[in-house]
Every structure is written in structure tokens, then in C-alpha cells.
Amino acid sequence: TGGADAALGAAAGVAVTVISYSLTTVVLAWADARDTQLVLPFGLALYVAKFTVIGAVMVGVASTGWPGLIPMCLGIAAGVAVWTGVHIWWLTTVHARRARG
């Protein structure tokens, strides 16, 4: 309903979430494969780095006055909610079945 800028903003927000969560998954899997004691320091360092970059990008986008900023924020929120919900579903159904049998 907000036009092309809103659609682009929402899509960019979802893309930010997908890239962020995928990067975390890959980095933590790599760290865990090397040594489980690397998971916490790599996870924390990645968290700080990702949110620093995301924050800087959001401030930069906000300073332009782009009308797609609010839809981008909503896209990020929707992406986080869906990704987290699917992860919870997977852990409680698919993974739980594998662990039992």
C-alpha cells in the first residue's frame, strides 16, 4: 500500500534478517566444528559486529529521509518473528523426533 519504496524497504528488511541469521549460523557452525570453546567468543564478536553495521546502515538510511525506512524496519521485525517461530517449530517437532528415535 505504500508504493515501490515501501515494497523495496520491506524486502530489504527481510533480506537484512536472512543475511544476518544465515551469517550467524555459518560462523557458529564453523566455530563449533573447530572447538566448542570458540562458539561464545565468535558469537559475541559477530553479534557486536552485526549490530554495529546494521545500526550504522539504519542511521545512514534514516538521514536520507527515504520513505522506505519504516517498511524496512517492519520487514526486519517480520523476518525476525518468522525466522524465530520456524526455528522454535523445528526444535520442538522435527529435532525432537530425531532426538527420540
Side-chain angles (χ1 to χ4, degrees):
T1 62
D5 284 330
L8 181 62
V14 171
V16 165
T17 304
V18 168
I19 291 166
S20 173
Y21 278 41
S22 297
L23 177 65
T24 299
T25 301
V26 169
V27 168
L28 293 182
W30 175 86
D32 190 40
R34 300 301 176 270
D35 183 357
T36 56
Q37 292 187 350
L38 293 176
V39 172
L40 180 61
F42 272 80
L44 291 174
L46 184 61
Y47 182 84
V48 169
K50 281 188 330 184
F51 283 97
T52 300
V53 170
I54 290 170
V57 168
M58 294 299 284
V59 168
V61 169
S63 70
T64 67
W66 181 50
L69 178 64
I70 299 299
M72 182 176 179
C73 294
L74 295 173
I76 291 171
V80 167
V82 169
W83 192 292
T84 303
V86 169
H87 199 163
I88 290 168
W89 169 81
W90 184 83
L91 286 172
T92 59
T93 58
V94 177
H95 184 68
R97 268 186 265 138
R98 288 182 186 169
R100 281 181 272 174

